[in-house]
Amino acid sequence: QIHLVESGGGSVQSGGSLRLTCGVSGYLSRNYEVGWFRQVPGKEREGIACIHCCDGTLNYAESAKGRFTIFRDKAKPWVYLQMDNLKPEDTALYSCGAVEDPRYSCASYGALPDEMRYWSQRTQVTVSS
């Protein structure tokens, strides 16, 4: 069982930055992966980026490349999403998800919402123009 707690959402002007934190706790193996996701009302949840807990392999969606950075804290099992140069179209509900499944590889398949087993609460990110 993995527990996820997200923090760091809020409001920012276009071009600004925010950092989201996904606090990971519970029974942690050395083979779980954490992803960041967002959802706009009326649309499907979109995978942004994901990272392996322990070997650091990662994957970004095209929409995230160049502006978003996913990274982990080696001292504690937390995963961050640094979002820079935010745009109004980044406005959404953000959440992190996790999965422990040897058949799933974040590096190979990317952040897939249907593959996640555990979820955090959702946090609103609003980017104004």
Side-chain angles (χ1 to χ4, degrees):
Q1 187 81 7
I2 296 177
H3 302 282
L4 306 174
V5 178
E6 182 190 353
S7 61
S11 298
V12 65
Q13 289 190 326
S14 182
S17 298
L18 283 174
R19 178 177 293 184
L20 303 181
T21 300
C22 183
V24 184
S25 63
Y27 177 74
L28 303 176
S29 69
R30 292 191 59 79
N31 192 36
Y32 68 92
E33 315 215 44
V34 176
W36 283 101
F37 304 84
R38 66 185 181 185
Q39 189 170 22
V40 175
K43 293 188 177 182
E44 293 188 355
R45 187 175 287 181
E46 173 193 12
I48 301 169
C50 56
I51 189 168
H52 189 277
C53 69
C54 304
D55 65 20
T57 53
L58 47 77
N59 189 298
Y60 289 98
E62 286 299 321
S63 61
K65 290 180 180 178
R67 298 189 299 123
F68 293 3
T69 304
I70 187 170
F71 61 101
R72 59 200 172 109
D73 188 330
K74 295 182 181 180
K76 46 193 173 185
W78 290 4
V79 175
Y80 304 90
L81 184 68
Q82 177 68 36
M83 304 186 292
D84 298 316
N85 190 22
L86 284 162
K87 303 176 181 180
E89 51 263 42
D90 295 316
T91 295
L93 286 166
Y94 285 71
S95 56
C96 56
V99 61
E100 293 179 282
D101 188 340
R103 297 168 298 177
Y104 169 75
S105 166
C106 159
S108 298
Y109 302 122
L112 302 179
D114 290 345
E115 294 293 334
M116 298 298 112
R117 172 86 181 272
Y118 307 99
W119 289 99
S120 70
Q121 82 284 12
R122 300 184 188 190
T123 300
Q124 179 68 42
V125 170
T126 302
V127 184
S128 58
S129 57

